[in-house]
Amino acid sequence: MNTLVALCAIGAEKILGNEIKKLGYFLKDMGGNKTLGRVTFLGDDDALFRSNLCLRTADRVYLQLASYKAEDFDALFDSVYSIPWQDFFYKDVRVVVDKVRSHKSRLSSEHSIQGVVHKAIYTKLGDVWRIHTMPESGARSDVRIYIENDVVTVLLDLSGVPLHRRGYRRDGGIAPIRETMAAVLLQLMNWRRKTPLHDPFCGSGTIASEAMLYAYNVAPGFGRRFALENLSIYDESRAFEIKCREAEKIQPECQTRITGTDIDDDAVERARANAERAGVTAGRALQLIGSDQRIQRPDFDQADFRDLGAPYDSGLLLGNPPYGERLEDEASAQLLYKDMEELFQAFPGWDMGFITSRSDFESHLGRQANSTKKLKGGNLDTYFYQFIQPKTGEKK
């Protein structure tokens, strides 16, 4: 079994953990300590590729090569040197120690740790391959180091480009939500495929596109490559078998009602183009198993959210309204939030979820959320507000 580490938005660890368990892998007991933005799990050799292909809410997946105690640089060097690096790389590899994180440990200089780890890796490869200088003419391979309470964890990147970059979104507009974050929001709202979903601030169409991929059970990684494919442990034929197996799980016959609107015509066209590319990727996946079926794309239209009305008695309204930081200005954003109260009148019986960087969102909206979840993706702190409205026939 392999030990793998998946990264996610801080606050989304439980969502990612549930997703990993649904793939059939086992969460590793971390001694009761909650690690922010990370989930460790055990998986077979297929998990190295399959987790990258299938996980919707993970930002990266790493293979854990070692975990050991090191209180000084000699112990750090010796432990890194002991790893059989030659089993993972080709002789032209360019190894980069891309990130070091040290917390409550004697080894605290990230730059020094980075240098020692890099030297240990290249010394080991040089000794095994009997070369004095690494050519570094091949593909880059990233290594990440976490040190917690003097325990060093060495991770090998299997993803490469972050997993939120599915490949379908060529143009994200000014302030797009990450694809992985959109997938998190869908899970937090417990969205079901047959429930109508509408995004009143669709922007680049990310929420609708992620809903489409989820509804039809399309693995999100079909449209891209992974860093694993540059490693000597990569099994191309087995990866193809995994792709075919996942393609067989796509459900093109599923009935969905996924829509989006935006006040900006350019945003609507952008959303349509991105969703179309996501749909084409799904179609190519189906072709792997000899199917010419296609999945239904979301419908996008130009409209001000103030002019919307509910087309069904119940559904989910899910959106990423302007924050007032990168879109609009402070005063305009506050007025927009105030006007969003109209959505609750126009969509009775619909549950709603809005993500924003504003901790005072409820005061401007004039309505208290049923629950609030703090999420941090990248460097941006955000809050996800969930509103559950009474359904037809229910008492308020």
Side-chain angles (χ1 to χ4, degrees):
M1 295 290 278
N2 302 290
T3 298
L4 297 106
V5 177
L7 305 189
C8 63
I10 295 176
E13 298 86 359
K14 184 176 180 180
I15 295 293
L16 175 57
N18 288 338
E19 195 179 2
I20 289 169
K21 288 189 288 186
K22 286 181 180 178
L23 287 182
Y25 305 129
F26 303 94
L27 301 187
K28 190 172 182 181
D29 182 10
M30 301 301 289
N33 295 322
K34 183 179 180 181
T35 304
L36 297 180
R38 278 185 270 163
V39 178
T40 303
F41 64 102
L42 302 176
D44 56 13
D45 289 345
D46 283 355
L48 275 63
F49 183 81
R50 187 166 173 249
S51 60
N52 278 283
L53 179 69
C54 297
L55 289 176
R56 301 180 189 279
T57 61
D59 289 316
R60 287 183 184 275
V61 177
Y62 291 89
L63 175 62
Q64 181 174 306
L65 300 184
S67 184
Y68 50 83
K69 191 166 186 177
E71 298 180 346
D72 55 47
F73 285 111
D74 287 340
L76 176 65
F77 182 95
D78 292 342
S79 298
V80 173
Y81 183 91
S82 69
I83 297 171
W85 295 99
Q86 68 277 5
D87 293 346
F88 302 96
F89 299 138
Y90 294 105
K91 290 185 178 180
D92 60 354
V93 67
R94 180 166 70 92
V95 179
V96 176
V97 183
D98 76 319
K99 192 164 290 187
V100 172
R101 290 287 182 266
S102 179
H103 181 64
K104 293 183 179 180
S105 301
R106 297 185 186 185
L107 296 175
S108 58
S109 171
E110 295 181 0
H111 180 73
S112 298
I113 295 168
Q114 190 176 35
V116 170
V117 170
H118 192 270
K119 182 179 179 180
I121 295 171
Y122 272 28
T123 301
K124 177 61 172 285
L125 293 176
D127 290 347
V128 172
W129 291 334
R130 298 183 180 182
I131 54 179
H132 297 292
T133 303
M134 294 290 293
E136 295 189 313
S137 57
R140 166 175 167 163
S141 189
D142 288 349
V143 172
R144 182 166 293 196
I145 304 294
Y146 288 114
I147 307 181
E148 303 270 355
N149 299 310
D150 295 322
V151 176
V152 179
T153 301
V154 182
L155 304 175
L156 179 61
D157 184 14
L158 301 179
S159 301
V161 175
L163 294 177
H164 74 266
R165 298 183 184 176
R166 314 286 203 214
Y168 65 76
R169 195 171 72 181
R170 305 271 178 86
D171 185 357
I174 299 175
I177 186 173
R178 285 187 177 183
E179 292 89 333
T180 47
M181 183 65 82
V184 168
L185 302 188
L186 289 165
Q187 294 300 316
L188 285 173
M189 293 301 301
N190 294 311
W191 181 66
R192 297 294 177 263
R193 295 168 173 85
K194 293 184 179 180
T195 301
L197 181 145
H198 183 76
D199 180 357
F201 309 98
C202 69
S204 58
T206 305
I207 290 175
S209 294
E210 287 298 311
M212 174 184 69
L213 295 178
Y214 174 71
Y216 293 102
N217 206 33
V218 181
F222 267 120
R224 52 162 290 166
R225 288 174 50 84
F226 308 107
L228 170 64
E229 298 175 53
N230 297 322
L231 301 176
S232 59
I233 58 173
Y234 175 60
D235 186 337
E236 185 175 5
S237 62
R238 184 56 186 159
F240 181 76
E241 291 175 10
I242 293 171
K243 284 183 178 180
C244 291
R245 190 173 64 196
E246 295 303 325
E248 290 173 350
K249 299 176 183 178
I250 298 175
Q251 302 172 5
E253 71 284 351
C254 180
Q255 298 296 312
T256 64
R257 290 165 288 184
I258 303 170
T259 55
T261 51
D262 200 287
I263 196 171
D264 183 358
D265 278 320
D266 291 338
V268 172
E269 290 304 315
R270 189 161 49 239
R272 286 174 180 155
N274 290 335
E276 177 60 26
R277 277 187 288 268
V280 168
T281 297
R284 289 173 179 165
L286 286 166
Q287 289 174 4
L288 294 175
I289 56 173
S291 173
D292 60 358
Q293 291 181 285
R294 70 190 303 274
I295 63 175
Q296 181 181 342
R297 280 46 161 176
D299 289 325
F300 297 100
D301 287 300
Q302 187 278 330
D304 188 319
F305 74 88
R306 300 170 185 86
D307 301 325
L308 298 176
Y312 307 102
D313 290 337
S314 63
L316 171 61
L317 209 67
L318 186 60
N320 176 34
Y323 293 174
E325 295 175 0
R326 289 176 291 178
L327 281 174
E328 304 284 339
D329 54 54
E330 180 76 12
S332 297
Q334 291 181 12
L335 288 173
L336 183 146
Y337 294 159
K338 183 178 180 180
D339 289 347
M340 283 175 61
E341 164 62 22
E342 297 177 20
L343 288 171
F344 292 87
Q345 309 306 320
F347 286 79
W350 284 54
D351 295 335
M352 301 192 188
F354 302 108
I355 186 169
T356 170
S357 65
R358 301 296 296 266
S359 59
D360 59 353
F361 174 73
E362 291 165 298
S363 64
H364 295 297
L365 181 67
R367 184 179 287 258
Q368 189 76 28
N370 293 86
S371 65
T372 303
K373 179 77 172 177
K374 189 173 182 179
L375 298 165
K376 183 173 184 177
N379 297 319
L380 186 62
D381 290 321
T382 59
Y383 302 86
F384 184 53
Y385 299 92
Q386 296 173 262
F387 303 87
I388 308 302
Q389 296 209 95
K391 305 303 180 285
T392 302
E394 291 183 353
K395 293 183 179 180
K396 294 185 178 181

